[in-house]
Each structure stands twice: as C-alpha cells, then as structure tokens.
Amino acid sequence: PGGAVLGASSTDEATLMLAASPAAYSSLSPFSNGGRRLIGAARDQRPCATCVAHAVVAAAEAAVASASGRDASELDRLSVQDLYFCSPGWRDCDSGWELGAALSTLVERGRTLLAERCLPYSTAPRYDRAAEDVCESEHVCSDVPAVASRGSFNFKPIRKMWTVSKGHVGCD
C-alpha cells in the first residue's frame, strides 16, 4: 500500500521511514514546510469542554493548508462553534465529546461547516438558550470556507502503537 517498499517487512519499512525523517520537524514552523505555516493561531476554549472540537478543527485546517499549499493564516478558519454546538447530538460546555464521534462528524459535515467569521466561538449563549437559537440566529453569514468545501475530510484510526527505542522500530 501507499509507499510500501516491495518485499520489505513492516519493521524494515518503519526503519526506512524513520531514517528518511528530518532530524527536527514542526508543523508550526514555516522552515519545516516550504515557507508555510500549517497550523493556525491557537484558540481559547474558555471554561468549556470543547477541546476535542478545537483539536479536530485545527487538524482539519492543517490538512487544508497542506493540501492547498497555502499558509494557514491565508485561509478562512472553520467554525468550532458550528462543529461542536450545531452538529447533531446535543452538547453543552459540560458534556465534552469523544474523538471518534467528532472526527465522524467532521467527515459528514466538513464541506458545510461555516467559516469562523460567520459563527464565532462563544460559550455564553449555550447556558441559557437552545442550540437551535444559537445555531440559527447567531451566525452573521452563511459562508463556507472555499478551499475546505472543494474537498472532503476523512480519517483512519490507528490500531497499533509504534515504538522506537534503542534502535528498534516496531509495532506493539
């Protein structure tokens, strides 16, 4: 599959991948990514259990920046508010979200998520208003980020943990 080396074992493949990796890499650094930042500015989730939604949106934005060959700062940001509060399945600031469910929602809704400028992140309205009110009345536009709407999001669960220690590379 993918970049497999013909006739190589998975250990040989992993060793080759590790050997071909740069000594240092940061997706935050433009120097590691052809002069582009793949990760946008950090967001503040405030005292609200939306960390999974923030992480999923950041990963989606990084994927869009990487796939489009553009700096993350040049792209419209996706709305964490839309993904977390306005997707099916009632959630509030106390409920949190499982990573698998959040990723599945991104796959389903990724092409239709609003731009952050249309529905900015806010925790206050959730405590005293229904989700429908927040999601229907609080957005100031209905724009979907153009670059994100042209593709689709997907994910592949990692089933095994990679280990690298004392020159040994393998799968647990």
Side-chain angles (χ1 to χ4, degrees):
V5 177
L6 215 48
S9 70
S10 62
T11 301
D12 291 341
E13 237 180 272
T15 302
L16 180 60
M17 287 173 36
L18 183 63
S21 298
Y25 174 83
S26 170
S27 56
L28 293 171
S29 169
F31 302 109
S32 296
N33 301 298
R36 299 181 320 272
R37 288 183 63 112
L38 298 181
I39 305 293
R43 292 177 166 107
D44 182 2
Q45 73 182 47
R46 299 187 194 95
C48 192
T50 56
C51 53
V52 169
H54 278 82
V56 167
V57 164
E61 290 172 345
V64 169
S66 179
S68 67
R70 295 177 57 197
D71 192 281
S73 66
E74 298 171 1
L75 301 171
D76 267 340
R77 300 200 78 181
L78 295 170
S79 172
V80 173
Q81 186 85 359
D82 192 15
L83 181 67
Y84 185 79
F85 292 114
C86 303
S87 293
W90 190 86
R91 282 174 291 284
D92 65 12
C93 277
D94 296 324
S95 61
W97 209 1
E98 293 292 322
L99 181 60
L103 288 168
S104 294
T105 301
L106 176 68
V107 170
E108 293 168 17
R109 295 209 46 230
R111 295 177 76 164
T112 63
L113 282 179
L114 293 175
E116 184 177 60
R117 63 185 156 69
C118 295
L119 186 58
Y121 183 73
S122 170
T123 59
R126 294 294 298 148
Y127 290 111
D128 58 0
R129 294 175 56 197
E132 296 80 24
D133 290 346
V134 172
C135 298
E136 295 300 320
S137 66
E138 298 221 350
H139 64 274
V140 295
C141 62
S142 297
D143 297 345
V144 175
V147 175
S149 68
R150 282 189 232 132
S152 63
F153 294 104
N154 208 338
F155 70 97
K156 181 178 181 180
I158 298 173
R159 303 260 184 242
K160 297 181 180 181
M161 295 299 293
W162 286 94
T163 58
V164 180
S165 63
K166 298 182 183 175
H168 171 74
V169 179
C171 225
D172 286 340

